Structures are given as structure tokens and as C-alpha cells.
Amino acid sequence: MGELAPLRAEVAQACRVAAARGLVDGTLGHISARVDDEHLLIRCRSDSDTGVAFTRPDDIRLIRFDGSPGSTGELDGYEVPNELPIHVETLLAHPEHRAVAHLHPAAVVAADLAGIRIEPIYGAFDIPGARLARGGVPVYPRAVLIRTAELGKEMVAAMAGRPVVICRGHGITSAAATVPQAVLQAISLDQLACMSLRIRSAGGTCRPIDESDWTDLPNLGPAFTAEAAWRHELARLEWR
């Protein structure tokens, strides 16, 4: 399916961006993109896999929602992630989502385990991140491998319609309308967790910004935020 080549390349780039940002380590973590109501592209692992940081477009395979090959040869030499239900159940529950990133950012896991609730503790420092955390970030409280539909549905229920969920003692799931946005949300969540940990380690208390500040924290539009941020992330890869 040559028409899928650009999307395969985008998912592979997103995997490398996530690794460059420290959101994954080694071979753990995966990103997917919905193709239609029955198929998705997802990072799969092969016997020659060298890690998420080195993901190639060839590592992004077309599969059906039931985990079977999306076309002849798609899974030759590749294995579908054990936690495919994270992606499938999220996409089934929310048709507006076209991409899912399941990542393992250590700062987010550490902050949650330390009892720190991720909230919008800053504003103009990162407006999209502050908006993402407004009202708090939901937590799926089980530290399990989400490898069944039942567990996937539990995680989606804990997500409660929000774009990101923390999987306690495990990682995060970020869902969005685009692959870049799913990863950018994860980056913002990681930055919030890192800042929260720094504040607590300095003896401070994490407090959400004042409600009155939200009026002057506008949505500056995708050209200024998501599109520019993603160009930056891709440029960072070239300089590594």
C-alpha cells in the first residue's frame, strides 16, 4: 500500500521524537495511526529491532484491529505489540482520535507515584500544556500490562474522555486527531511532571495557577503552537 508511505514515515518520525525527548527508553513504547474503521498503522518489533529511537518506516506495519495483518506480508518478520488493546480500545471508544501514543516518561511515572497530581502549575511557560492539565490529569490506577480488551476498556474508562491518561507504575497514553499532536501532548505532560518534581525537591508546593489567569492564556492557533512545535521537534532530530 504505497499510499500509506507518508503516514508510515510520520509515525516512525514520531517514535524517534518520543525517544529523543526521553519519553521512551530501549524497545518499550509504541505509536499508532488510524487508517480506517478496521485498520491502523503501528510500530511493531522485529528480530533486528534496535529500539524506538531508531524506528524506520518499515517498522510501522498495517494491521487490523484484531491484530491480524492488514495485507499480505505486513507481519512477516514482525510482531504486534502486546499492548495493542491500548490503541484499539482508545480508537474504538473515540472515533475523533486518529493517533495514539503509549509511552513511558519516567518523570510522569515518578510524580504520580510520589502522590503529585499533575495540574496547570504554570501558564504562559507552556500554554498548551497548561490547558492539557486544566482540571487535572486522570490516572488509571493499575500497574499492569494492558494486553486484553478488558484491560484496554478499563484504561479508556479511566481516561474519562480526556486526551491523556497516566497509567500508574507504567507510563501514559496520549490520544489526538494527529500523530504529532499525540506526541506533543506527551511532551507537555512530561514537562509538567518535571517541573512539579523540581518544585517539590526545592521544598515548594505545587499549586494551580489562578482562575483569573485563564482569560489571558489564549489558544494561539495551530500555526503558532502545534505546527511550529512539531517543526522544532523534527529539526532537533536532524541535530542529534
Side-chain angles (χ1 to χ4, degrees), residues 94 138 155-165:
H94 298 284
M155 187 211 71
V156 171
M159 206 168 183
R162 302 294 297 275
V164 294
V165 62

Side-chain angles (χ1 to χ4, degrees), residues 70-224:
S71 64
T72 304
E74 278 290 335
L75 287 179
D76 289 356
Y78 283 88
E79 291 184 2
V80 173
N82 284 322
E83 293 188 307
L84 176 64
I86 287 176
H87 302 263
V88 171
E89 297 305 326
T90 301
L91 294 175
L92 286 175
H94 298 284
E96 72 276 14
H97 292 323
R98 307 295 299 181
V100 177
H102 174 62
L103 307 169
H104 290 188
V108 179
V109 174
D112 177 61
L113 292 176
I116 300 173
R117 188 167 183 253
I118 305 298
E119 296 181 297
I121 53 176
Y122 48 61
F125 181 85
D126 174 16
I127 296 176
R131 289 184 170 278
L132 180 69
R134 191 175 186 183
V137 176
V139 177
Y140 175 54
R142 303 188 65 190
V144 295
L145 196 68
I146 304 173
R147 57 181 179 173
T148 67
E150 290 72 22
L151 291 172
K153 287 181 172 67
E154 279 187 5
M155 187 211 71
V156 171
M159 206 168 183
R162 302 294 297 275
V164 294
V165 62
I166 297 169
C167 301
R168 178 155 293 158
H170 182 176
I172 69 167
T173 297
S174 173
T178 68
V179 173
Q181 186 60 36
V183 177
L184 290 171
Q185 288 174 173
I187 292 171
S188 285
L189 184 61
D190 185 59
Q191 289 178 331
L192 274 163
C194 287
M195 187 69 80
S196 298
L197 289 167
R198 290 177 70 178
I199 292 168
R200 288 283 288 268
S201 67
T205 302
C206 298
R207 298 185 182 87
I209 60 173
D210 290 338
E211 277 299 312
S212 60
D213 288 344
W214 287 107
T215 342
D216 292 310
L217 291 172
N219 183 344
L220 298 174
F224 188 81

